[in-house]
Amino acid sequence: PEVTGVVKYKDALQMAEDFGLKMIPYECAKGMEETRRLLQTAEAGMDIAIFIGPEGGFDPDEIVLACETGGQVITLGRRILRTETAGLALLSVLMFQLEQVTY
């Protein structure tokens, strides 16, 4: 994965404007079915953006803004992960999904 330097939230959303998949793990998201369906759309070579919230989570207005720019809210399950582990958890799931697709 490519990790960028620190940028403002709106700038990050704009940087991912043309990405094929934009995911926002959010503690208020409901249901794993939509998350599973979305993860199954990931394809090898696709540009995928993952927006991980700060400690304390995203503000609801930030979620609305992400959705307005094509982001899709997902859940990471019934647990709330630390900021530094949430991205790694989602990358692991994506790697697993993409390995199934490419082999």
Side-chain angles (χ1 to χ4, degrees):
E2 179 182 333
V3 178
T4 67
V6 177
V7 295
K8 293 181 181 180
Y9 183 66
K10 287 182 180 180
D11 293 339
L13 292 172
Q14 187 175 31
M15 288 170 61
E17 183 177 40
D18 295 326
F19 282 33
L21 189 56
K22 295 177 259 194
M23 296 180 287
I24 302 97
Y26 185 46
E27 64 273 11
C28 294
K30 296 195 182 350
M32 287 298 292
E33 285 307 311
E34 179 61 18
T35 298
R36 285 186 187 105
R37 185 202 62 74
L38 186 61
L39 288 169
Q40 289 173 351
T41 68
E43 299 175 4
M46 175 185 277
D47 287 324
I48 300 172
I50 300 170
F51 296 91
I52 302 297
E55 187 174 332
F58 282 109
D59 182 272
D61 290 338
E62 292 173 319
I63 295 298
V64 169
L65 182 59
C67 290
E68 289 174 350
T69 59
Q72 298 184 60
V73 175
I74 63 168
T75 179
L76 295 179
R78 290 180 271 179
R79 65 211 55 79
I80 295 179
L81 301 175
R82 295 178 59 94
T83 297
E84 52 273 4
T85 56
L88 183 58
L90 186 50
L91 281 175
S92 297
V93 171
L94 280 169
M95 286 176 14
F96 179 80
Q97 175 65 28
L98 291 172
E99 291 292 325
Q100 289 182 356
V101 171
T102 59
Y103 287 111

